Amino acid sequence: MSEQPVFSQCFEIRGRDFANAGRVSTTVKSILKEIGMAPALVRRAAIAAYEAEMNVVLHADRGFLELKVSPGRVQVTVVDQGQGIGDIELAMREGYSTASDEAREMGFGAGMGLPNIRKNADEFEIESDVGRGTRLDFRIRV
Amino acid sequence: MRRFSHSVRITAGKCRGRMACMRACPTEAIRVRRGKASLLEDRCIDCGECVRACPHGAIVAATAHMEDLSRFRYKIALPSPALFGQFPEEIPPEAVLASLLRVGFDEACEPTAACDAVARAVGEYLNKHPGPWPLISPFCPTVVRLVQARYPSLAERLIPIDSPMEIAAREIRERRARQLGLAPHQIGIISLTPCPPQMVAVKYPPRKKSSNIDAVVAISEIFEPALRVLSSTKLAVPAGGLSGTGLGWAVLGGQLEALSAESCLAVGGLDHVERILGDAEDGKLAKVRYLECQACAQGCCGGSLTVENPYVARTRILKLAERCGAPRQPRQFGDGGGFQQTLLLPGKLTARPLAPLDEDISVAISKRTRIAELLHGLPKIDCGACGSPTCRSFAEDVVLGRAVIDDCDVLIARRSRRHLDAAASSKHPATTVGARVRERSP
């Protein structure tokens, strides 16, 4: 089998930068459209990437999102330097959130972020180190 | 697939390559090569921003002119409600309509009652729709084309209801043909439009085979003659009967006013429309039921073929609308079998998404990687001197064979500066540079 081409790009996400929140996932979406991914896949990837981006904005100081696109799959990895998640099982529950009051006033922090990523991805992994940061990774098959 | 005809024409003879159109284009559909602007047809959504921007009148709307209308035995002007915001406040809409009879029309009618009927139909449609939300207004032709091209997954959210102009045109043709004993085709219904894309909407009406409107003339074309009539002649002005809520359709939010539906949102200006459609596509607007999107920030009263400042026009429309008030008795359109049924359009609206970088996804991925690599080496100042609107679009043009990397003047300038610097730091700078110059001169 010949080697598959891979497009990859890395984006920085700044914590608490609400004014620019959502830009990275918007760019991810337009890249997938340019490549010609099916609308349903683009939508799932865009929603999952948006939730992952918002997690960094809400809970971390800084993070990076890496997008990797190959003919067979779309992979997104988000690594942040932040508070980390103590109990991942609890964090995965719908409606559970530790977002600040400020964030909630802006309409964020409904506790649907991680469940939404899992719902839209085919494969989803998350690992976290309290006080240091979180790394999550999801893949969607083409 | 049929080729899409566009509502703007570039006259190469008048184009001086000033790039104002290229910079104004919201979909990066214009390139300037060898000093002349050209259109990437599948990207154009007919918004008319280039018509507005061109300093030399080289880009014009392909609307009809008054002298093109002689083929009709009986000409009926059907102005967009936006027309009434163009004239000074003391001129009532009824006088504006009367003036149209002196500039070449046999009759003038207005679509405000049809606006109300459509608003009721939209309200009914919203009540019956089970989801998904939001539904999107289909009455701005530029927004319809934008959705088809860039947000194809939202094409099914465009409400399948005919436009007020179409409904008013259908009704008046039937009535006049009967009364005057003319064949329907001898009657010309001429829409007076605030924007170029109305022409495309008439030529290729979404969801149906043919339009009820026969020709489209720009408001800017009839404005002056009409104003001259109004300021010089005392016209017999018939009693009013315009609907204020219908008039409101000329301004952003006017559809919502007439709708009185809850959780609706009106968004004007293509940049904001694009952002809200992006959110709708991601399912972030599920609480909004109806999205009124207008390509022009103030709505139709600020279209690119109008003459008045959009804010002034907007204020006038709002005042006029208040003066006219809501109609006491709503007019019915169609055969009375429930207005929604007769206003509904049965046809399907197909998406026509922008072509991807390549049909083969592997090749598209490689091309996208190449674009990113090229962009990395470009100045990223979006100067436009290459003839592409941004460094990003230039990289894409190079990869797709529409441009060559040496079209970037900044890279060439940097390269020659490096040569000069290298020459200056060598032992005999003057000789080296001089030699190079001599080589080139004839």
Side-chain angles (χ1 to χ4, degrees):
Chain A
M1 202 173 133
S2 65
E3 203 187 319
Q4 296 271 357
V6 179
F7 170 84
S8 74
Q9 192 168 344
C10 192
F11 306 87
E12 186 184 352
I13 304 165
R14 279 175 306 202
R16 280 163 281 279
D17 181 4
F18 288 98
N20 289 303
R23 290 227 173 147
V24 171
S25 46
T26 303
T27 310
V28 166
K29 188 159 86 170
S30 62
I31 290 172
L32 296 177
K33 281 185 182 177
E34 282 172 53
I35 288 174
M37 293 288 179
L41 181 143
V42 173
R43 184 164 188 265
R44 285 166 64 201
I47 293 170
Y50 174 77
E51 298 291 5
E53 180 183 1
M54 286 315 297
N55 272 345
V56 177
V57 175
L58 289 167
H59 303 291
D61 303 318
R62 190 181 184 216
F64 292 93
L65 182 150
E66 189 189 40
L67 168 71
K68 276 191 179 166
V69 188
S70 59
R73 73 173 189 194
V74 173
Q75 175 172 354
V76 172
T77 308
V78 179
V79 182
D80 72 43
Q81 297 152 2
Q83 63 207 40
I85 302 169
D87 185 341
I88 288 181
E89 209 175 303
L90 189 60
M92 289 302 302
R93 219 177 280 167
E94 290 189 7
Y96 178 80
S97 172
T98 59
S100 65
D101 290 345
E102 182 202 6
R104 282 168 204 260
E105 273 166 27
M106 284 187 275
F108 301 110
M112 295 305 292
L114 293 176
N116 245 343
I117 299 175
R118 184 167 55 186
K119 203 171 83 190
N120 283 289
D122 291 317
E123 292 164 55
F124 171 67
E125 279 150 32
I126 180 166
E127 55 193 63
S128 189
D129 208 341
V130 175
R132 298 191 63 172
T134 303
R135 175 198 169 92
L136 72 81
D137 185 282
F138 67 82
R139 273 143 285 172
I140 300 174
R141 283 188 294 276
V142 175
Chain B
M1 210 171 110
R2 91 181 164 208
R3 265 174 69 83
F4 280 83
S5 145
H6 282 290
S7 61
V8 295
R9 297 269 176 280
I10 303 176
T11 316
K14 284 189 182 175
C15 175
R16 298 197 208 162
R18 289 267 295 269
M19 301 183 172
C21 54
M22 183 183 85
R23 295 198 169 94
C25 177
T27 59
E28 298 188 340
I30 293 178
R31 298 292 183 272
V32 180
R33 305 268 184 246
R34 285 177 227 93
K36 300 288 178 193
S38 63
L39 201 59
L40 297 176
E41 300 227 349
D42 61 333
R43 289 198 171 202
C44 173
I45 55 167
D46 289 299
C47 66
E49 289 300 324
C50 51
V51 175
R52 239 191 270 255
C54 179
H56 303 297
I59 308 184
V60 291
T63 46
H65 303 290
M66 290 306 290
E67 59 269 23
D68 303 333
L69 308 178
S70 53
R71 65 192 146 113
F72 301 111
R73 287 269 300 275
Y74 189 80
K75 296 186 276 289
I76 304 176
L78 178 64
S80 147
L83 177 72
F84 304 112
Q86 304 297 309
F87 294 90
E89 246 166 78
E90 57 276 12
I91 302 179
E94 293 82 5
V96 173
L97 287 171
S99 76
L100 295 174
L101 306 183
R102 304 287 186 95
V103 302
F105 294 102
D106 299 299
E107 184 179 344
C109 55
E110 49 82 18
T112 56
C115 292
D116 289 332
V118 169
R120 290 194 304 272
V122 168
E124 232 179 64
Y125 192 88
L126 290 177
N127 286 337
K128 284 187 185 151
H129 183 69
W133 305 103
L135 293 176
I136 303 169
S137 64
F139 306 117
C140 172
T142 292
V143 169
V144 171
R145 293 174 71 85
L146 178 72
V147 168
Q148 286 176 302
R150 306 246 277 206
Y151 304 90
S153 63
L154 295 177
E156 58 191 30
R157 306 282 186 89
L158 290 160
I159 292 184
I161 289 178
D162 217 351
S163 77
M165 295 290 278
E166 287 286 338
I167 285 156
R170 183 172 69 192
E171 194 221 29
I172 189 81
R173 186 193 307 279
E174 283 167 8
R175 199 142 38 97
R176 284 298 174 271
R178 249 193 340 262
Q179 289 167 347
L180 300 168
L182 290 172
H185 72 268
Q186 292 176 309
I187 294 178
I189 301 189
I190 321 301
S191 131
L192 305 183
T193 183
C195 64
Q198 284 298 343
M199 195 212 82
V200 181
V202 163
K203 209 165 172 185
Y204 303 113
R207 298 183 203 267
K208 55 185 196 178
K209 282 207 186 77
S210 64
S211 168
N212 299 307
I213 293 163
D214 300 292
V216 179
V217 169
I219 283 180
S220 55
E221 177 158 334
I222 56 99
F223 174 75
E224 258 192 53
L227 188 65
R228 222 174 301 135
V229 169
L230 284 163
S231 50
S232 64
T233 327
K234 186 125 183 68
L235 295 166
V237 175
L242 270 83
S243 148
T245 42
L247 259 180
W249 276 56
V251 301
L252 178 69
Q255 295 175 23
L256 308 189
E257 184 87 11
L259 264 178
S260 67
E262 276 172 47
S263 21
C264 296
L265 183 65
V267 182
L270 270 178
D271 47 347
H272 294 293
V273 167
E274 288 231 47
R275 276 169 66 183
I276 210 80
L277 290 177
D279 285 350
E281 202 175 41
D282 294 349
K284 285 181 218 158
L285 289 179
K287 285 181 188 157
V288 175
R289 291 167 72 86
Y290 185 65
L291 202 51
E292 175 190 330
C293 290
Q294 305 274 3
C296 298
Q298 298 299 320
C300 300
C301 66
S304 59
L305 301 180
T306 59
V307 290
E308 188 49 277
N309 176 306
Y311 293 86
V312 174
R314 174 193 155 85
T315 308
R316 284 183 190 155
I317 291 283
L318 292 177
K319 279 186 191 164
L320 281 176
E322 206 184 325
R323 213 182 300 157
C324 293
R328 253 164 272 138
Q329 189 150 38
R331 220 162 89 204
Q332 296 287 340
F333 284 82
D335 53 14
F339 52 73
Q340 196 195 332
Q341 271 65 40
T342 53
L343 306 193
L344 266 180
L345 288 170
K348 241 181 101 68
L349 187 78
T350 44
R352 49 168 195 108
L354 286 179
L357 291 166
D358 200 282
E359 291 303 326
D360 181 332
I361 217 158
S362 298
V363 181
I365 289 171
S366 305
K367 283 183 175 171
R368 191 59 186 80
T369 302
R370 185 78 193 109
I371 290 170
E373 286 164 2
L374 273 180
L375 182 61
H376 186 70
L378 289 175
K380 292 188 273 292
I381 53 173
D382 296 343
C383 68
C386 58
S388 304
T390 57
C391 289
R392 158 80 188 70
S393 56
F394 175 63
E396 183 182 315
D397 287 347
V398 171
V399 169
L400 296 181
R402 291 195 289 245
V404 292
I405 193 77
D406 278 351
D407 289 338
C408 178
D409 291 350
V410 179
L411 284 190
I412 290 186
R414 279 182 190 169
R415 214 183 300 151
S416 52
R417 175 163 318 153
R418 269 201 304 275
H419 283 308
L420 286 174
D421 289 349
S425 60
S426 74
K427 274 184 184 164
H428 307 287
T431 344
T432 327
V433 176
R436 191 181 298 272
V437 171
R438 256 198 309 280
E439 268 167 37
R440 280 209 184 159
S441 51

